[in-house]
Amino acid sequence: MLRKVAAAYTVLNENRFKIIAYENAATAVEHSTSEIKDLWDDGKLATIPGLGQSITQHIDELFKRGKVAHWENVFNKVPKAMFPLLDIPGVGPKTAYKLVTQLKLKNEQNAIEKLKRFAIEQKKTSLVKSVELYEKGAIKDNRININLADRIAGEMIAYLGDGVVLGSLRRRVATIGDIDIAAKTNIIDKFVNYPHKTEIIEQGPTGASIRLSNGRQVDLRIIKPAQWGSMMQYFTGSKYHNIKLRELAIKKGLKVNEYGISGKEFSNEKDFYNYLGLEYIPPELREDQGEFEMTLPKLIELKNVKGDLHMHSSYNDEPSHDLGDNSMEEMLAKAKELKYEYIAFTEHNPKHGVDILAILKRRFNYIEQLKKSNKYIRIINLLEVDIPPSGELNLPEGSEKYLDGILVSVHSEFRLDKDEMTARVLKALSHPLARIFAHPTSRLLGKREGIELDWEQIFDFCKKNNRAIEINAAPQRLDLPDVLVREAVKKKVLLSLGTDAHSTDSLEMMPYGIDVARRGWAEKSDIINCWNYDKLMKWIRG
DNA sequence: GCCGTTTTCGGCCCGACTGTTTTCAGTCG
């Protein structure tokens, strides 16, 4: 709605800063950690920067009456059929309006279809191309998980023999659109002849863009060494970080662009930031989320992690869900390779209708044996237990004899409403063995939205009752999401890192969890896996 | 329309690319 207002205002030649204000408001809503409706319920709408008095009032009206009189007025002044056209790349409000008027498009439903016919008839090739791009779904929701982007970028750089990644991939965002690569040597010819290329999108003296056979767009920029710092900074973004940076520069009487600061060039990023009176800001923090105003954290690093607290071996405890591919012994050998001090086995809980206590006892004995035969890695005996809708865990009295503690997590009935879901999770977390809330939103990137929870309640409960919340490092999960990690860190809620590995290979996914932790401003003191074994066990045993 | 450690008034990022009703508006990142 906010974007629609901005578009309509653009057509109506409203004050351009009012238009920007609406766009900023839309972005603020999209980036909010809470559903806007929930904030409204709690009367906290105005706490979101970018929503001022006027827009807050309009949103209030929207939730109370289902529509906003002022916005309806604005929409009525422009043709409805222009709005769907805005999804076409290269088509903004002005172009959409022009097209709709020219073609006398009346309704929203078939506007794009009619437009395409017109474009073909009039031989407007670039417009036809744009519509086709739109139809291919190349516009939105075409992001890939970060591990796939890493692989594509890695293969490309290996092929080129030069280059570093920029953009969202360098900021370690969970999902990636285009892949940006920068190089100091001119390798454009080699780049556009990449074997997996299907199309050269554009090619010029300072860079090129190609599309790969998997549909991914890769951009290459050749950067002069003297301008490496400012160019890296500019192309790493984020957009909002850069805008804030330039505003700050203006206040200091300086002008920032990708070539430098007021004409001065920078060969590295640190000097660039320092020149503006700022310390170097790690790429993961460049989202205009307080990195300019606040003292920067000493971010957690991979080497701080002393163990993995979520993994599934092939040990058969007759679980409700899948087993892992590798034995406990194989997982231990891999953990040794990763130089861990300890790991936790966290197979799924035994299913209904089996003798759970007998199974847990057998597993306990097996692990005790394993502890004796393996000298390098300390073993923690946990279990990942399903949270059913009732919140009642399928774990009989006496289980505590055979477990150090449990992770709890949601694996079914993802669509309960927020209050029911929160009650469900809090009930499970109240279980005396519960220590870690694993993959808390249960999202699967690009496949399944996360569950709805009252995060403030969950965080407060965990803080008060000494429960940890997991950052699941599996690249298809990355759950807790970074924005919620930030909230948890602000509230000093303990966090736990786990790969949720089902094989020895996936134990290597820990760096993706570190990325999320860093994007959430986590320091090593926020993460329980950075404790040594004794301290951790003391915490687990309560 | 939003916002504030110089401001409650007077600012609001910057440049590349595209197309063409040809020198600038529109769109994008």
Side-chain angles (χ1 to χ4, degrees), chain A residues 348-360:
Chain A
H348 288 292
N349 57 304
K351 60 193 171 197
H352 284 273
V354 298
D355 187 345
I356 295 174
L357 273 188
I359 290 170
L360 290 183

Side-chain angles (χ1 to χ4, degrees), chain A residues 459-471:
Chain A
F459 291 154
D460 287 345
F461 182 93
C462 288
K463 170 93 180 123
K464 194 169 156 209
N465 298 284
N466 226 7
R467 264 53 170 177
I469 296 186
E470 178 178 82
I471 297 173

Side-chain angles (χ1 to χ4, degrees), chain A residues 139-181:
Chain A
I139 328 304
K140 283 160 197 163
D141 298 334
N142 187 21
R143 298 177 73 83
I144 52 173
N145 293 351
I146 187 172
N147 57 326
L148 178 55
D150 272 341
R151 212 182 70 208
I152 294 171
E155 285 170 6
M156 173 62 85
I157 289 169
Y159 162 80
L160 292 172
D162 186 16
V164 297
V165 296
L166 305 174
S168 55
L169 192 50
R170 181 165 181 239
R171 300 200 312 279
R172 308 307 289 157
V173 181
T175 61
I176 308 293
D178 298 341
I179 293 167
D180 293 307
I181 294 174

